[in-house]
């Protein structure tokens, strides 16, 4: 496995391009600085990402390029180390790269990492519904869920521990009084949120959804589609860990609503889900699936989608306190929490016949 440089460097969130140049001096010393074009990607709400394109080789940011021509440098958002085990993240990337699921990791630094550019485009609320792309995502997720490696570590589902971690990070009083006022009008106390989740998770545990190695954050921006190779690649393994199979799928379905203009009318219909889940199960099990298995997974996925809404609503409260990124995390959290409330009874009432 190629060497991963460990750089004693902290990149200023307000000068990510300057920091990227310092990274390139180490991992691409043969690149001529004057011939490197930098592009700051703006679709992330947690981290800052800059693409470094070696123009000496006539690579354009809209071209496929090669791993030698393009490097991505990701700078973590403020205080995100409270939420994410960064050591485990880099271990996951290296492990999943070995299995063909993640890009090559080139370097880590104190508040970020540099990795291989994956040619293609991120999914949109429109493209994720295209049959050929949906089939590719379902197949790829099933393949990842079959990864078994002794080095991954704890095989307990991460969901309960992650929610517990997040709830403990909600400040009793938000440092910005206006934010505190807004949040107090939308959300119950952390203690009440904990009681609500304990009740929800008690019901979800009884489903006995298989525990597999999951991405856990498969929003549309974390899926890269290449029309040239007709394949999808998953990126950003910050939250990758063992978890309930149905959570990973349900979480992905909730992301069909989009980020910039969230619209839960885009949540996939039962007909779409059953087609997607059939592709998934046939790849995961290596054989055709029964209608009973299909209906069972459909119920599991939609009920675990509630846990997805809950998780990211609580996550948004922590981001509202700490993030320096210009994004309305309170509004995001409100939308996710309201969708959890709106769908809770409906989804928990779903049933299937054995």
């Amino acid at each position: 496995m190629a060497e991963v440089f460990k750089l004693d460097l902290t990149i200023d969130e307000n000068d990510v391009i300057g920091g990227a140049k310092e990274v390139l001096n180490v991992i691409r010393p043969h690149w001529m600085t004057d011939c490197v074009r930098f592009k700051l990607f703006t679709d992330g709400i947690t981290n800052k990402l800059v693409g470094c394109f070696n123009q000496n080789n006539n690579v354009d940011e809209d071209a496929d390029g090669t791993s030698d021509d393009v490097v991505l440098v990701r700078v973590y958002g403020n205080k995100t180390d409270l939420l994410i085990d960064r050591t485990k993240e880099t271990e996951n990337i290296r492990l999943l790269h070995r299995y063909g699921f993640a890009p090559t990791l080139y370097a880590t630094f104190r508040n970020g990492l540099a990795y291989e550019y994956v040619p293609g485009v991120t999914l949109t609320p429109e493209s994720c519904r295209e049959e050929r792309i949906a089939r590719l995502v379902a197949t790829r997720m099933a393949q990842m869920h079959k990864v078994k490696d002794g080095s991954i570590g704890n095989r307990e589902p991460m969901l309960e521990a992650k929610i517990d971690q997040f709830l403990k990070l909600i400040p009793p009083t938000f440092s910005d009084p206006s934010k505190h006022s807004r949040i107090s009008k939308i959300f119950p106390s952390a203690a009440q949120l904990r009681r609500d989740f304990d009740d929800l998770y008690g019901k979800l545990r009884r489903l006995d959804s298989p525990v597999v190695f999951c991405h856990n954050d498969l929003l549309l921006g974390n899926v890269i589609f290449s029309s040239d190779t007709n394949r999808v690649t998953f990126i950003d393994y910050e939250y990758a860990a063992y978890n309930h199979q149905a959570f990973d799928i349900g979480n992905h379905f909730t992301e069909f609503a989009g980020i910039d203009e969230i619209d839960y009318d885009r949540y996939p219909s039962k007909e779409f889900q059953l087609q997607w889940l059939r592709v998934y199960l046939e790849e995961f099990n290596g054989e055709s699936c029964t209608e009973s298995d299909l209906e069972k997974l459909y119920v599991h996925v939609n009920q675990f989608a509630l846990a997805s809404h809950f998780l990211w609503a609580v996550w948004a409260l922590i981001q509202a306190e700490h993030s320096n990124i210009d994004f309305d995390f309170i509004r995001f959290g409100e939308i996710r929490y309201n969708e959890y409330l709106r769908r809770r009874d409906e989804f928990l009432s779903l049933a299937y016949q054995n």
Side-chain angles (χ1 to χ4, degrees):
M1 186 177 292
E3 177 186 7
V4 176
F5 292 92
K6 295 183 179 180
L7 310 182
D8 186 19
L9 170 68
T10 300
I11 292 181
D12 186 340
E13 277 190 276
N14 298 312
D15 186 22
V16 293
I17 291 177
K21 291 178 181 178
E22 294 187 61
V23 174
L24 293 178
N25 286 338
V26 177
I27 68 173
R28 293 292 186 270
H30 56 284
W31 283 16
M32 298 174 60
T33 305
D34 292 344
C35 294
V36 180
R37 181 172 180 178
F38 299 93
K39 178 180 179 181
L40 188 63
F41 294 93
T42 58
D43 53 351
I45 61 171
T46 306
N47 309 299
K48 292 189 176 180
L49 181 67
V50 60
C52 312
F53 300 83
N54 183 12
Q55 296 296 292
N56 196 43
N57 286 352
N58 297 316
V59 177
D60 182 78
E61 61 261 32
D62 295 323
D64 278 356
T66 70
S67 60
D68 290 331
D69 296 322
V70 188
V71 170
L72 297 180
V73 176
R74 178 152 57 96
V75 179
Y76 302 143
N78 184 49
K79 299 290 187 179
T80 53
D81 54 310
L82 294 173
L83 308 172
I84 299 160
D85 183 338
R86 294 302 183 183
T87 300
K88 179 56 66 176
E89 177 193 12
T90 57
E91 291 174 356
N92 286 339
I93 293 172
R94 298 191 74 183
L95 174 113
L96 291 167
H97 174 69
R98 192 160 73 235
Y99 287 97
F101 291 103
T104 304
L105 182 65
Y106 297 137
T108 62
F109 45 95
R110 284 198 294 269
N111 64 330
L113 45 79
Y115 56 97
E116 177 186 10
Y117 169 76
V118 178
V121 295
T122 56
L123 298 192
T124 67
E126 293 72 38
S127 64
C128 68
R129 297 174 177 281
E130 294 180 22
E131 182 179 356
R132 65 166 178 159
I133 294 178
R135 291 182 66 89
L136 289 172
V137 175
T139 300
R140 198 64 170 161
M141 188 184 290
Q143 292 167 345
M144 185 180 69
H145 285 177
K146 291 193 288 185
V147 168
K148 292 181 174 62
D149 192 294
S151 65
I152 293 177
N154 187 2
R155 292 175 180 265
E156 290 297 314
M158 61 81 86
L159 180 58
E160 185 175 26
K162 185 60 69 174
I163 286 282
D164 181 65
Q165 175 194 2
F166 284 6
L167 287 170
K168 288 177 179 176
L169 290 170
I170 297 176
T173 303
F174 288 79
S175 58
D176 183 328
S178 63
K179 288 183 178 180
H180 184 81
S181 177
R182 284 181 65 194
I183 290 168
S184 299
K185 294 173 182 176
I186 298 167
F187 294 92
S189 67
Q192 183 59 52
L193 286 170
R194 185 180 298 276
R195 287 191 290 271
D196 288 351
F197 180 76
D198 287 346
D199 179 68
L200 172 66
Y201 195 52
K203 295 178 172 66
L204 297 180
R205 264 199 305 259
R206 291 196 287 271
L207 299 175
D208 200 25
S209 176
V211 176
V212 297
F213 191 75
C214 295
H215 185 285
N216 291 314
D217 188 22
L218 209 58
L219 50 84
L220 302 183
N222 283 343
V223 185
I224 309 295
F225 170 65
S226 171
S227 57
D228 291 341
T229 60
N230 196 40
R231 63 175 295 177
V232 295
T233 303
F234 300 159
I235 61 171
D236 290 1
Y237 287 90
E238 294 180 308
Y239 294 95
Y242 277 101
N243 203 4
H244 301 282
Q245 174 192 59
F247 176 89
D248 217 15
I249 302 171
N251 182 74
H252 178 59
F253 286 168
T254 68
E255 298 294 352
F256 279 38
I259 292 289
D260 294 328
E261 296 181 5
I262 301 175
D263 180 359
Y264 281 108
D265 286 342
R266 297 170 178 155
Y267 188 76
S269 65
K270 181 175 183 178
E271 179 184 10
F272 178 96
Q273 288 191 44
L274 291 177
Q275 292 174 345
W276 196 104
L277 294 172
R278 185 182 297 278
V279 174
Y280 171 90
L281 279 174
E282 290 179 351
E283 176 64 32
F284 186 75
N285 294 325
E287 59 186 14
S288 58
C289 65
T290 66
E291 296 304 309
S292 175
D293 286 342
L294 197 58
E295 285 289 337
K296 178 180 178 180
L297 185 55
Y298 169 77
V299 170
H300 287 190
V301 162
N302 285 277
Q303 293 187 356
F304 268 95
L306 297 171
S308 167
H309 288 310
F310 200 101
L311 176 73
W312 299 119
V314 176
W315 168 90
L317 295 180
I318 303 163
Q319 293 288 356
E321 173 67 10
H322 297 293
S323 179
N324 295 325
I325 292 176
D326 183 18
F327 183 81
D328 191 345
F329 289 101
I330 299 175
R331 178 59 181 156
F332 176 84
E334 179 182 19
I335 292 171
R336 295 299 300 249
Y337 185 62
N338 285 343
E339 186 66 8
Y340 157 73
L341 294 175
R342 186 175 77 92
R343 293 284 201 168
R344 182 173 55 189
D345 292 345
E346 174 191 353
F347 285 174
L348 289 178
S349 68
L350 293 173
Y352 57 91
Q353 293 184 343
N354 290 317

